Amino acid sequence: RPILWLFRPGMLPLVDQFAARLVIYHVVDEYSAYPGLTAAQSARQRELDAQLTARADLVFCTARSLVEARQPRNPRTYYLPNAVDFEAFQRAINGPTRTPSFALQANRPRLGVVGGINAKLDLALLGDVARQRPDWTLLLIGPLGYGLNLDLFARLKALPNVVLPGALPPEQVPLAIAACDVCLIPYRLNEKTRHINPLKLYEYLAAGKPVVATPLPELAPYRPVISLAGDAATFVAAVEAALAQASDPAGQAERRAVAAANTWDQRVAAMSALIAAALSSAAPASPASDA
């Protein structure tokens, strides 16, 4: 009698294939909003999601909006956002491993986007920023992924101050982030990103880096330590302000403290407590709206 830990609506049939002690539905995206789905496919994703939400013993969601949509169907729905391996980041940054050479080449401000280069990114915004400030280097560090606008991507890639080194081994990611002066979360604003809790936020903060992002709903609570900007002019201004205080020790410590309060150890402990309570048939605590 296993515990089933399911991540996609299409996994619903597995519930009937196992005599599970517990069914956990772990929601990390609004799956019906994935690019490329037809209207019928999106509707089917919503239908399966509703059924799996109702069948699950526990529902874990990485965004508040995902909780709000599912809690009416299942009161045992909990907000458990993404996090960071804080100690691993500190060991990597302070250890002997060398920083990737591409991150040290430019003798000018380095702006970093670390993660998948895919449909989430606002390529037009990044192009405007790079063109407005040719004295900045824009590093797009990560593998190419789904849904890229190839025309916008080609124009961005052709700019002389844009560098795309590709994917990095995991152990080099903290060092690449640490080599950036300001880190960016330049996501497009649409139905998919409205429900995203960006993993890179916690990794950037673990390195003590200033963060400039587009105004995603999940980022609003972090405004004391990050900047949100919705267009090229305000984005450039926010980066300028971030660069001016990037080396301030107090600001770095404040950002690291936020990351240290959002670790995977803490998330696993919270999940484990809920799972233990459900397995013992004790009612979990009231679902948290902003845990």
Side-chain angles (χ1 to χ4, degrees):
R1 297 195 61 204
I3 293 174
L4 285 184
W5 200 310
L6 308 177
F7 283 86
R8 294 296 182 96
M11 294 176 175
L12 174 66
L14 293 174
V15 176
D16 293 324
Q17 294 179 29
F18 295 89
R21 296 174 64 201
L22 201 71
V23 176
I24 300 168
Y25 181 28
H26 197 155
V27 186
V28 301
D29 268 322
E30 180 49 60
Y31 303 112
S32 66
Y34 272 26
L37 295 182
T38 65
Q41 288 170 333
S42 293
R44 180 58 175 160
Q45 289 294 303
R46 289 191 293 272
E47 177 185 346
L48 292 171
D49 177 276
Q51 293 178 35
L52 185 50
T53 296
R55 292 284 299 274
D57 298 291
L58 293 169
V59 181
F60 298 152
C61 299
T62 55
R64 292 174 179 84
S65 58
L66 299 174
V67 172
E68 292 165 2
R70 289 158 185 82
Q71 210 166 63
R73 291 190 178 92
N74 191 330
R76 295 170 115 181
T77 298
Y78 299 88
Y79 178 55
L80 290 158
N82 284 315
V84 65
D85 188 338
F86 183 78
E87 295 302 327
F89 259 69
Q90 304 315 301
R91 287 195 301 271
I93 291 170
N94 299 315
T97 308
R98 295 179 59 188
T99 299
S101 58
F102 69 81
L104 300 175
Q105 289 173 357
N107 187 24
R108 53 187 178 179
R110 292 181 291 267
L111 281 54
V113 180
V114 183
I117 311 304
N118 54 40
K120 295 193 297 289
L121 294 187
D122 191 334
L123 301 179
L125 172 64
L126 289 173
D128 288 342
V129 171
R131 280 185 287 268
Q132 289 183 32
R133 294 304 301 264
D135 55 323
W136 294 346
T137 293
L138 180 58
L139 298 168
L140 303 182
I141 305 166
L144 299 184
Y146 63 90
L148 280 174
N149 181 310
L150 296 181
D151 180 55
L152 287 175
F153 181 68
R155 280 188 270 168
L156 179 64
K157 186 178 179 180
L159 295 173
N161 58 333
V162 174
V163 179
L164 290 102
L168 290 180
E171 64 272 13
Q172 290 191 359
V173 170
L175 297 171
I177 292 174
C180 297
D181 298 295
V182 175
C183 291
L184 310 180
I185 307 177
Y187 284 2
R188 299 166 59 199
L189 301 179
N190 54 36
E191 182 62 16
K192 184 178 190 302
T193 60
R194 187 171 74 85
H195 306 283
I196 283 179
N197 182 275
L199 182 84
K200 59 174 56 71
L201 168 69
Y202 308 100
E203 296 182 340
Y204 292 166
L205 295 177
K209 295 299 169 179
V211 178
V212 178
T214 47
L216 305 176
E218 276 291 298
L219 296 181
Y222 296 95
R223 287 194 85 150
V225 293
I226 70 173
S227 298
L228 303 181
D231 57 50
T234 54
F235 209 91
V236 167
V239 172
E240 289 173 341
L243 286 169
Q245 53 88 50
S247 59
D248 173 49
Q252 293 175 354
E254 183 180 16
R255 292 186 285 273
R256 287 194 177 98
V258 172
N262 288 275
T263 69
W264 286 120
D265 286 344
Q266 293 162 334
R267 297 288 186 266
V268 169
M271 291 178 187
S272 298
L274 291 166
I275 292 168
L279 287 172
S280 66
S281 299
S286 298
S289 59
D290 58 355

